[in-house]
Amino acid sequence: MPCLSNMRFNVALTLLLVSLVGIAIQGCHGKVVQFIFGDSLSDVGNNQYLSKSLAQASLPYYGIDFGNGLPNGRFTNGRTVADIIGDSIGLPRPAAFLDPSLTEDMILENGVNYASGGGGILNETGGYFIQRFSLWKQIELFQGTTEMIGNKLGKQAVEKFFQDARFVVALGSNDFINNYLMPVYSASWKYNDQTFVEYLMETLQKQLLVLHNLGARELMVFGLGPMGCIPLQRVLSTSGQCQERANKLALSFNKAASQLLINLESKLPNASFKFGDAYDVVNDVINNPYRYGFNNSNSPCCSLGNIRPALTCLPVSTLCDDRSKYVFWDEYHPSDSANELIANELIKKFGFVGVNRNAPAPESAIAPSPDE
């Protein structure tokens, strides 16, 4: 009889342990996280760890309005669009893939950001930055992440974890500004405007299919803004006005990408693939800045005065009097205030709702105001 009693105790203990392990695994993948693929508009520090990269946001005054006010790898003074959307719906902010502190548990808790300044849909884009992650490279890194988390959770749990996650793909502007529109790249003479956009769509389709195969089901591709109106493009024009060809290319990209997402969503099982287009509102902000509370939409807040273009923000740069009134932070990138406007437009357009109940508020997003 003592043996039977021991057997019953062992069975009960085993069932309890199995139950506890099941609860632990469920807790790990019960939280919705996000995986971000992008360029400098979404980079949160990967390029800081690419020692040879010329695309850097590692010096003051980048990050001056974020957290402790020190550079953090974001190519703006504050938050990215992905930061703001994620915060609004309770998604945790994922760490940069190359962050040395990143662990498996952090990935399960927050996701990963693979975005890299200078990166593009095409591998050859941004070559003169020397080091950057193209979208293909970012997807390769994500594949490694899926294998690592799969070893930890097991097949069934890992499938649910990634299928519940939110995916953001936000690239394309570098493929024009730092590739096709530059004579040093072969694309500038191998393609015309239409065939180059088609080439981008063929490549993007293959990339999105790979992401779906790796588990991505809830995915949004961000569209391009009026890239012909960024300060760099204006200062390189003879008139100081927006470069209309670049803007038309952005519109062509957006139209083609939107249709691509519709087609993929209709064909891929359980896919919710959306296209986030904020071109019109950004264009209106640039043309009518005072309507939106800005007073400058054609030059960077951080600059070297009359020395233009200043390709990056430096400690010797001069800052504008009120950073919240400038649409652009530097020659390329929107300010925190502009990013907030863009994010709110996308939130309103798609009716994003909270995904993680009782999610803690993000660590202090905004540093003291410019006057403090």
Side-chain angles (χ1 to χ4, degrees):
M1 294 300 289
C3 289
L4 182 59
S5 176
N6 286 339
M7 284 179 61
R8 286 173 177 167
F9 174 76
N10 288 337
V11 169
L13 181 61
T14 300
L15 290 173
L16 176 62
L17 288 173
V18 168
S19 176
L20 289 173
V21 169
I23 291 171
I25 291 177
Q26 185 179 26
C28 284
H29 70 76
K31 185 175 183 180
V32 177
V33 302
Q34 57 180 335
F35 295 91
I36 297 174
F37 305 81
D39 53 27
S40 57
L41 295 175
S42 307
D43 192 346
V44 296
N46 281 311
N47 279 28
Q48 288 191 130
Y49 302 102
L50 297 176
S51 60
K52 297 178 182 177
S53 178
L54 298 181
Q56 292 287 348
S58 55
L59 295 172
Y61 294 99
Y62 288 105
I64 190 172
D65 295 313
F66 186 103
N68 61 11
L70 297 176
N72 55 67
R74 289 168 173 81
F75 287 74
T76 183
N77 60 310
R79 302 159 296 173
T80 68
V81 171
D83 282 334
I84 298 165
I85 293 177
D87 292 350
S88 74
I89 59 177
L91 286 170
R93 290 181 184 165
F97 173 80
L98 291 180
D99 186 332
S101 68
L102 186 68
T103 63
E104 291 179 357
D105 288 340
M106 286 175 64
I107 294 172
L108 289 169
E109 191 69 19
N110 302 314
V112 185
N113 185 318
Y114 303 91
S116 172
I121 293 169
L122 306 176
N123 284 335
E124 58 268 29
T125 288
Y128 59 81
F129 293 124
I130 303 178
Q131 277 187 307
R132 74 277 177 230
F133 291 156
S134 68
L135 181 52
W136 277 123
K137 180 62 178 179
Q138 293 177 40
I139 293 171
E140 178 188 326
L141 297 174
F142 172 67
Q143 182 173 3
T145 300
T146 64
E147 293 168 358
M148 178 176 65
I149 298 302
N151 291 335
K152 184 178 181 72
L153 293 186
K155 187 175 186 298
Q156 185 174 354
V158 79
E159 284 182 0
K160 183 175 189 332
F161 174 70
F162 286 110
Q163 289 177 8
D164 287 347
R166 301 297 188 266
F167 289 77
V168 171
V169 176
L171 302 94
S173 60
N174 283 321
D175 294 291
F176 295 101
I177 293 172
N178 293 310
N179 186 344
Y180 177 63
L181 292 174
M182 299 190 72
V184 295
Y185 285 93
S186 62
S188 65
W189 67 80
K190 284 174 61 177
Y191 301 95
N192 60 39
D193 291 2
Q194 178 181 341
T195 57
F196 185 70
V197 171
E198 290 171 353
Y199 175 39
L200 287 178
M201 290 305 110
E202 290 169 5
T203 308
L204 182 60
Q205 175 171 294
K206 294 174 184 176
Q207 293 162 333
L208 296 179
L209 287 171
V210 172
L211 283 175
H212 183 271
N213 190 52
L214 291 171
R217 295 296 181 269
E218 299 279 343
L219 181 146
M220 172 169 284
V221 173
F222 284 2
L224 304 185
M227 58 189 180
C229 294
I230 65 173
L232 176 71
Q233 292 292 301
R234 284 181 183 267
V235 79
L236 293 178
S237 72
T238 56
S239 64
Q241 301 301 310
C242 297
Q243 298 208 34
E244 288 308 314
R245 183 189 177 197
N247 284 348
K248 289 178 180 177
L249 285 166
L251 288 169
S252 297
F253 176 95
N254 289 349
K255 181 179 179 180
S258 177
Q259 189 58 52
L260 172 63
L261 271 291
I262 291 171
N263 293 342
L264 288 176
E265 185 179 53
S266 67
K267 296 175 182 177
L268 296 175
N270 303 315
S272 175
F273 282 15
K274 305 299 180 186
F275 182 71
D277 187 0
Y279 183 99
D280 289 342
V281 69
V282 176
N283 193 52
D284 196 39
V285 170
I286 290 170
N287 290 320
N288 304 287
Y290 292 96
R291 183 185 299 170
Y292 295 88
F294 297 97
N295 60 28
N296 186 301
S297 62
N298 57 21
S299 58
C301 173
C302 185
S303 71
L304 292 172
N306 293 326
I307 303 174
R308 302 277 308 280
L311 298 181
T312 188
C313 184
L314 299 167
V316 295
S317 300
T318 300
L319 296 185
C320 59
D321 292 335
D322 187 345
R323 298 186 284 278
S324 69
K325 300 297 184 183
Y326 272 63
V327 174
F328 292 99
W329 166 244
D330 62 13
E331 299 280 7
Y332 292 92
H333 307 101
S335 65
D336 177 272
S337 296
N339 281 337
E340 184 172 27
L341 189 148
I342 295 165
N344 288 338
E345 174 68 13
L346 292 173
I347 292 168
K348 181 174 67 175
K349 182 178 289 188
F350 290 95
F352 292 131
V353 295
V355 293
N356 289 314
R357 293 183 179 179
N358 303 319
E363 170 187 348
S364 177
I366 300 297
S369 69
D371 297 326
E372 293 179 357

